[in-house]
């Protein structure tokens, strides 16, 4: 019987490769309609609420406003788009091209009902600002809270 030397770092390397392969297969590869997109780009979002409105800020650098699609319902907002960016530089007889492509789809549930007919959006310096005014019934909503007492007291 031959002795085989155990190399723990080789085992760790093999484990890392297997984990990378697993995460590559689990990465989001389609948007809501089933269209294949490869690795998805998911923009960072910040949602804040004031007494009058819900404000959403999305970080979407390298895109044009006409590449974005925003759909608002009374209780959620959906933002999707496609990033198409390519830079080409020529220096010292060499050409260098870098590109980034990818679709994204982000649907965010809203904490209150909003008046979607009055929603507005601004896009500047890669940041999308969306203002979603609250529905009138949400602004004036008063809820009566009943107090439960244990029976027999």
């Amino acid at each position: 019987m031959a002795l085989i030397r155990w190399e723990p770092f080789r085992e760790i390397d093999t484990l890392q490769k297997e984990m990378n392969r697993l995460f590559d297969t689990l990465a989001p590869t389609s948007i809501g309609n089933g269209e294949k997109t490869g690795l998805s780009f998911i923009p960072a979002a910040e949602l804040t609420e004031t007494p009058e409105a819900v404000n959403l800020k999305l970080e979407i650098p390298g895109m044009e406003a006409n590449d974005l699609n925003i759909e608002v319902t009374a209780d959620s907002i959906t933002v999707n788009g496609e990033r198409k960016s390519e830079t080409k530089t020529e220096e010292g007889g060499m050409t260098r091209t870098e590109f980034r492509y990818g679709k994204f789809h982000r649907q965010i549930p809203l904490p209150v009902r909003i008046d979607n007919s009055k929603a507005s959006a601004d896009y500047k310096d890669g940041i999308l600002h969306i203002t979603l005014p609250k529905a009138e019934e949400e602004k004036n909503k008063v809820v009566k809270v009943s107090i439960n007492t244990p029976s027999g007291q």
Side-chain angles (χ1 to χ4, degrees):
M1 178 157 111
L3 291 176
I4 299 174
R5 184 176 183 164
W6 181 57
E7 296 180 32
F9 293 108
R10 181 178 292 172
E11 295 294 323
I12 292 172
D13 186 49
T14 302
L15 178 62
Q16 181 182 11
K17 287 177 184 175
E18 286 298 312
M19 292 297 289
N20 287 342
R21 187 183 60 77
L22 175 66
F23 284 118
D24 286 343
T25 61
L26 294 176
T29 58
S30 64
I31 56 177
N33 62 5
E35 183 179 338
K36 295 292 181 188
T37 61
L39 290 176
S40 294
F41 159 67
I42 301 173
E46 180 181 292
L47 189 69
T48 57
E49 185 178 352
T50 66
E52 299 296 317
V54 173
N55 298 302
L56 176 64
K57 186 165 58 169
L58 289 169
E59 186 178 304
I60 312 174
M63 295 188 72
E64 298 294 326
N66 57 0
D67 293 333
L68 300 172
N69 180 37
I70 304 168
E71 295 176 359
V72 182
T73 64
D75 55 4
S76 72
I77 181 166
T78 303
V79 180
N80 55 45
E82 185 170 4
R83 177 187 286 190
K84 302 173 197 166
S85 171
E86 187 172 320
T87 59
K88 187 175 186 177
T89 57
E90 294 188 28
E91 223 174 79
M94 287 182 37
T95 301
R96 178 180 172 185
T97 305
E98 292 187 29
F99 57 90
R100 294 184 298 172
Y101 297 103
K103 293 182 181 182
F104 74 91
H105 177 90
R106 182 102 196 240
Q107 184 171 15
I108 301 170
L110 299 171
V112 296
R113 293 187 64 76
I114 56 114
D115 185 355
N116 56 351
S117 64
K118 296 180 181 174
S120 63
D122 295 311
Y123 182 68
K124 183 179 178 188
D125 298 329
I127 305 293
L128 178 64
H129 296 270
I130 304 171
T131 303
L132 306 160
K134 290 182 181 178
E136 285 299 320
E137 61 269 11
E138 288 293 329
K139 289 183 199 174
N140 302 324
K141 189 177 191 179
V142 177
V143 178
K144 174 82 171 143
V145 178
S146 60
I147 302 171
N148 295 327
T149 58
S151 58
Q153 286 190 8

